[in-house]
Amino acid sequence: MREGSGTTSDSPLVLLSGGGGGARLAAGLSQSSAERPLLVVTNTGDDFEHCGLTICPDTDSVLYAVSKTIDRQRGWGRGEESWAVFGELKNLGGPDWFQLGDKDLALHLARAAMLSAGQGLASVTQALGYRLDVPSSVSVLPATESPVRTHVVTEQETMAFQEYFVAHRCAPVLHDVVYEGIDSASPAEQLRDALGHVGAAGTDIVLGPSNPFLSLAPILAIPGMQELLRHAARRVVAVSPIIGGQALKGPAGKIMSELGLDVSAEGWTRFMSEQYPGLVDVWVWDETDQALAGDLRSEGMDIRTTQTVMSDPSRARAFGDWLLGVCDSGH
Ligand code: GDP
Ligand code: CA
């Protein structure tokens, strides 16, 4: 953590995010009364090719969340969606295992056109954000423009992330996760630029309540990414996706237990601090887990607790305000 009294209010708060809890937090922070610029760095490990289109599930969930166009019930895709193309695709014997609504499909066609015209993924994402009316104080950037594809190694076979997640509904027991292409990946140029301009005081970086193996690792394992973040950081704050001994949604808890980890906020904190030594300054747990914090606090870890469940936009905004307060405390 950097010492010093410089103000960071003009430098963007940087949020590392998957498509679930992180996207909700992105929406909350973008609505925060502090009006601090926000840069959301999205996981690209879930990206894949489908029907000739590049699908970026986490990036799109964040774009839809911060532009308030997301379907809040489902937690993915567009609200007020229609399914005419998908219905006809099924009639015609096309693939129906991955659902794309009409508006969602339009975004994918727009992305495909820009990519095939030679635009990079980061600039395409920014153009789509502009068209979706993402607030001008918010930037959404894929962590890298190089293809990184998460594969899970299960008892039976190694499979692509979407196959595990959508087709197998995360049922296979997981032994390992690999990020194909990551060794030759590098942080997106626009991200380097943004972090290179935060000034001497540094900025605050939040690791969202995202799956540590499937959302944060494919960002943090990009060569050069951790150095870039450490160099720019005034404070790094990580939010636990594990609440009351389980993940709110998705396979994070299941994967932790399959990898032999203790499924708790404490287990998550120990795993993250071993995986990324010295990266995180402040650990945020849900207040449900308050009673568990004693051991780690006595080891000198800075653990804060609050209500972290973002069940509706006002709770997400309140949590965003609280987090910005944590970032500023002590400076
Ligand atoms: P994805 O949706 O598959 O991209 O997965 P993410 O990695 O983005 O997010 C899933 C994780 O977010 C799960 O482990 C959830 O427990 C966590 N999560 C979802 N909503 C919330 C929330 O409101 N608060 C907190 N603290 N965690 C959440
Ligand atoms: Ca995801």
Side-chain angles (χ1 to χ4, degrees), residues 95-150:
D96 64 355
W97 64 274
F98 189 81
Q99 293 170 268
L100 282 175
D102 297 332
K103 289 180 181 168
D104 201 7
L105 181 62
L107 175 131
H108 286 84
L109 294 172
R111 172 186 286 133
M114 287 187 264
L115 287 173
S116 69
Q119 238 176 294
L121 188 63
S123 113
V124 169
T125 303
Q126 288 181 308
L128 293 171
Y130 179 76
R131 292 291 179 150
L132 284 168
D133 275 335
V134 167
S136 57
S137 58
V138 181
S139 300
V140 181
L141 271 181
T144 178
E145 299 195 288
S146 332
V148 172
R149 300 289 182 260
T150 298

Side-chain angles (χ1 to χ4, degrees), residues 68-72 74 76-82 103:
K68 299 190 196 159
T69 56
I70 197 164
D71 185 303
R72 289 221 310 272
R74 278 199 312 270
W76 57 268
R78 295 282 301 260
E80 294 170 33
E81 185 60 290
S82 57
K103 289 180 181 168

Side-chain angles (χ1 to χ4, degrees), residues 52-67:
L53 301 168
T54 301
I55 315 280
C56 308
D58 289 357
T59 303
D60 291 352
S61 290
V62 171
L63 281 175
Y64 294 155
V66 294
S67 62

Side-chain angles (χ1 to χ4, degrees), residues 211 213 242 245-247 249-258 261 263:
N211 188 306
F213 317 98
I242 304 296
Q246 55 188 25
K249 213 180 161 192
K254 178 175 180 283
I255 294 174
M256 284 180 82
S257 81
E258 289 167 358
L261 300 165
V263 188

